[in-house]
Amino acid sequence: MCIYIFLYFYTLIINYNSSSVPKNDAQSGSLIDSPSVNQALQPMRERPVGPSAFSVIPPLSALRQHSDSNMAVSIAKCLAAYAYLLLISLIFPHAFADNAAEDSPHRRFEYKFSFKGPHLTQSDGRIPFWIHSGNAIPSSDQIRITPSLRSQKGSVWTKNPVSFEHWEAEVAFRVSGRGRMGADGLAIWFTASQGLEGPVYGAADQWNGVGIFFDSFDNDGKKNNPAVLLVGNNGKLIYDHQNDGTTQSLGTCLRDFRNKPYPVRAKITYYKKTLSVFINNGFTPDKDDYEFCTRVENMIIPEIGYFGISAATGGLADDHDVLSFLLFRLTEPGQNLPPPEKEIPKEEKDKYQEEFENFQQELDKRKEEFQKEHPDVQGQPIEDLFESVNDQEIRQVFEGQNRIHLEIKQLNKQLAMILDEQRRYVSVITEEISKRSSQAQSGQAPNHDMDTIINTQQEVLRNLNEVRNSLSDFKQLAVGQQQGNAAGLGSYETVQHFNDIKEHLHVVKRNIEHIIQKNANPAEKVKCPELPPSPTCLSSTHFVIFIVIQSLLFFICLFSVCKL
């Protein structure tokens, strides 16, 4: 395609310049009339425009641009050349193919260095062509490198060494846990020897080769985890755990690979001394939806080595599950590989064929027994009767959300009842205060104790209203999450946070029960102070004194009037 575009623009320039240069311009000193230029241009004029014209095209510096009065003729020539190139590209599409496509390597699957479910393990619990150590637990559909327990280490390694010059590995795994942070992480190895157990993500330190680390714990406190690191070692370096290996990493990228709805996939390619890492983030079921992570050029790794996967947990814990490890041999175009039949010994091939036939017979036998025991499902595919892994996870998510929704609904009802009781208590106390105030004298000091009780009850009401609003928000969030998951658009991370919400709801429930016990009968516990008896308007002693004084004043006034 690049050649095609270049030919088009080059033809445009050549036609424009050739039509712009006057042919009889001896006085101007044009190069077009010189014998050397005519001799150089003559082969190009006789040959058609195409990919083969590159060897005879003269340099553009030999032409000089001039104004042209015949532009229409030049444009017609350009269009004719463009149509000719288009016709050539349609007839011979491979002639204009990109060179990068020719350089793409060929892939061949290597079953002896791969594993994938179902029926991943044999009857004795071993993995064909692989060995596992530590706390690794192989099963029929996956290998749990470490369970969700503290201070666990596990690994799985190829039995035989790999001697491919170029290779590509595709790994599908899950890292899941209940906490918002996990530890320590998972590692994919290619080393000169098997590191069955050690301090670096469950494998040995001072390795000779390369490791791709999926680090989920932030040791250095720089908030740069979870992350993917590519670390090389020549067998002499000690891994820097305190700095999360950032001082030794050859390449890194930040990717959150914990608690994803689909398995996370990593593609690691080593081709022509270039190591590239691509990550599928696990948000879509598309297996080929990879994103570029990092690349290291001119990287030298051991010519012969072992592939391995290891994981470790510390104070925090995650389940590290590997679903598949697929290895492909890459070869440059033009190289011939030995046929696969020559690499498999005849005895081994007969053994696997016999095991396959026995397994097929056993499977057919179990199918017949199941059909006899369940005649009501005759004609229905047996595969439809079993629940897939994705369906099981979705069902568990819905069940958990339904339980949370019911608990929130129950708490909401209890809060409504508590609010009604509190409002009733406040109204009773308010009425009592108003009655006592109407009977008290106007100069009597206000009752501060009753004001304190009222303020306390109002504060309780406000707190309960806030709790009720929070529960309503949680309820709406749970309903919205259920609808979103039903539509296929739910956020898996929000579902993981519901466990924390559930714990907080239990705390709120205990606090509410404490409030109920404390304020069970506030009308009985809170006793209003009794008002003192109101004094009479005038006592008998005061009345006698008043009469005596009034009589004296009367006689004094009468005596004064008579004297006058």
Side-chain angles (χ1 to χ4, degrees):
M1 193 64 188
C2 297
I3 298 174
Y4 175 72
I5 297 173
F6 178 77
L7 285 175
Y8 168 69
F9 284 104
Y10 192 81
T11 307
L12 183 66
I13 296 172
I14 291 298
N15 283 278
Y16 176 75
N17 288 321
S18 62
S19 62
S20 302
V21 177
K23 296 182 179 180
N24 297 321
D25 192 11
Q27 296 180 356
S28 61
S30 174
L31 296 175
I32 198 65
D33 292 331
S34 62
S36 60
V37 175
N38 286 327
Q39 186 177 1
L41 290 177
Q42 186 64 28
M44 184 187 68
R45 292 168 180 169
E46 294 176 356
R47 297 184 61 178
V49 178
S52 60
F54 279 97
S55 59
V56 297
I57 292 177
L60 293 178
S61 60
L63 304 176
R64 196 174 74 189
Q65 296 182 354
H66 294 278
S67 60
D68 187 25
S69 58
N70 237 346
M71 183 59 72
V73 178
S74 177
I75 294 175
K77 291 180 180 179
C78 293
L79 293 176
Y82 177 75
Y84 179 75
L85 288 174
L86 181 60
L87 180 63
I88 291 297
S89 65
L90 294 175
I91 297 175
F92 304 101
H94 298 288
F96 299 95
D98 195 7
N99 294 331
E102 297 179 358
D103 296 337
S104 59
H106 300 292
R107 300 200 322 167
R108 192 177 78 179
F109 177 66
E110 299 292 337
Y111 74 97
K112 286 189 176 182
F113 306 101
S114 306
F115 62 82
K116 182 182 180 181
H119 313 296
L120 190 149
T121 58
Q122 295 177 340
S123 58
D124 55 358
R126 293 184 299 177
I127 310 169
F129 310 110
W130 291 73
I131 58 174
H132 63 279
S133 63
N135 302 112
I137 306 172
S139 62
S140 60
D141 56 349
Q142 66 182 18
I143 302 176
R144 175 153 292 180
I145 307 298
T146 57
S148 182
L149 299 172
R150 295 181 178 180
S151 302
Q152 300 288 301
K153 294 179 182 179
S155 63
V156 58
W157 294 85
T158 56
K159 290 182 179 179
N160 301 320
V162 179
S163 59
F164 306 152
E165 183 180 2
H166 312 297
W167 48 265
E168 183 175 83
E170 295 182 358
V171 187
F173 61 92
R174 290 180 184 272
V175 179
S176 56
R178 296 188 61 182
R180 295 185 180 180
M181 296 178 59
D184 285 337
L186 181 139
I188 303 172
W189 302 91
F190 180 77
T191 57
S193 60
Q194 297 172 340
L196 297 179
E197 188 172 353
V200 184
Y201 300 98
D205 203 347
Q206 295 180 330
W207 67 93
N208 183 13
V210 62
I212 294 89
F213 302 153
F214 294 83
D215 189 358
S216 55
F217 186 74
D218 191 7
N219 289 295
D220 54 4
K222 295 182 179 180
K223 306 300 181 182
N224 54 355
N225 292 85
V228 182
L229 294 88
L230 194 154
V231 181
N233 200 334
N234 57 0
K236 300 179 181 179
L237 300 177
I238 298 177
Y239 184 67
D240 187 7
H241 285 278
Q242 298 300 325
N243 295 317
D244 288 329
T246 55
T247 58
Q248 301 169 342
S249 65
L250 303 176
T252 182
C253 65
L254 296 179
R255 293 291 186 275
D256 187 6
F257 48 83
R258 297 183 66 250
N259 297 327
K260 299 304 176 185
Y262 299 97
V264 178
R265 299 180 182 274
K267 180 190 291 185
I268 306 164
T269 305
Y270 183 73
Y271 184 67
K272 293 184 178 181
K273 297 182 180 180
T274 300
L275 187 64
S276 304
V277 180
F278 301 88
I279 303 296
N280 184 329
N281 54 21
F283 283 114
T284 62
D286 187 3
K287 298 180 180 180
D288 298 326
D289 186 15
Y290 286 100
E291 298 177 356
F292 174 76
C293 176
T294 184
R295 176 180 288 115
V296 179
E297 298 180 354
N298 298 324
M299 185 164 186
I300 306 299
I301 62 175
E303 296 181 356
I304 300 176
Y306 296 84
F307 282 99
I309 305 173
S310 66
T313 61
L316 301 176
D318 280 336
D319 287 325
H320 298 88
D321 302 325
V322 179
L323 282 69
S324 64
F325 182 95
L326 307 179
L327 184 66
F328 300 88
R329 175 186 289 185
L330 302 181
T331 56
E332 298 182 10
Q335 291 186 356
N336 296 325
L337 288 174
E341 291 76 15
K342 292 183 179 180
E343 298 181 1
I344 305 176
K346 187 176 183 303
E347 296 81 4
E348 190 175 352
K349 185 177 181 181
D350 295 339
K351 176 184 176 182
Y352 290 137
Q353 185 66 26
E354 184 180 358
E355 289 182 359
F356 175 76
E357 291 177 357
N358 294 334
F359 173 77
Q360 192 67 31
Q361 293 176 1
E362 185 69 19
L363 181 63
D364 295 338
K365 183 179 178 180
R366 292 186 179 181
K367 286 183 178 179
E368 293 177 359
E369 293 178 355
F370 179 82
Q371 293 291 348
K372 292 179 180 179
E373 295 177 357
H374 302 81
D376 54 335
V377 294
Q378 292 288 340
Q380 184 178 359
I382 299 179
E383 290 78 6
D384 297 339
L385 301 177
F386 298 95
E387 191 177 34
S388 63
V389 177
N390 292 333
D391 294 339
Q392 183 179 5
E393 291 179 353
I394 293 174
R395 178 179 57 80
Q396 292 175 354
V397 169
F398 278 124
E399 290 178 357
Q401 289 181 346
N402 288 331
R403 288 195 297 267
I404 293 173
H405 177 71
L406 293 176
E407 290 186 6
I408 293 174
K409 189 175 180 180
Q410 187 68 23
L411 286 174
N412 198 5
K413 291 180 179 179
Q414 294 179 0
L415 281 175
M417 295 173 62
I418 294 172
L419 286 173
D420 293 339
E421 291 293 329
Q422 291 293 329
R423 291 192 185 97
R424 189 171 62 84
Y425 296 152
V426 170
S427 61
V428 169
I429 294 174
T430 305
E431 292 177 358
E432 186 68 21
I433 292 174
S434 61
K435 290 180 180 178
R436 296 295 178 88
S437 298
S438 61
Q439 296 176 0
Q441 292 182 354
S442 60
Q444 186 178 357
N447 195 337
H448 296 286
D449 294 334
M450 299 305 297
D451 294 338
T452 303
I453 294 172
I454 292 296
N455 294 331
T456 303
Q457 292 293 332
Q458 290 178 353
E459 185 178 358
V460 170
L461 283 175
R462 286 195 299 269
N463 294 333
L464 289 175
N465 281 321
E466 291 178 359
V467 174
R468 186 179 183 183
N469 294 331
S470 301
L471 289 177
S472 299
D473 295 338
F474 289 151
K475 182 178 178 181
Q476 294 176 0
L477 181 61
V479 174
Q481 184 66 26
Q482 287 180 349
Q483 294 175 355
N485 285 337
L489 300 175
S491 174
Y492 188 78
E493 293 181 352
T494 307
V495 176
Q496 298 297 325
H497 294 165
F498 268 98
N499 292 325
D500 297 335
I501 295 174
K502 186 176 179 180
E503 295 178 1
H504 291 300
L505 289 177
H506 285 301
V507 175
V508 173
K509 186 177 180 180
R510 289 194 297 269
N511 293 335
I512 292 172
E513 292 176 354
H514 180 69
I515 293 173
I516 293 173
Q517 294 176 0
K518 185 177 180 180
N519 300 286
N521 293 314
E524 297 176 0
K525 291 183 179 181
V526 179
K527 295 183 179 180
C528 299
E530 297 181 357
L531 296 175
S534 57
T536 57
C537 296
L538 187 62
S539 64
S540 58
T541 305
H542 294 164
F543 179 73
V544 173
I545 294 171
F546 177 75
I547 293 297
V548 172
I549 295 173
Q550 188 176 10
S551 301
L552 292 174
L553 291 176
F554 177 74
F555 285 114
I556 291 171
C557 292
L558 182 60
F559 179 75
S560 300
V561 172
C562 295
K563 186 178 181 180
L564 293 173

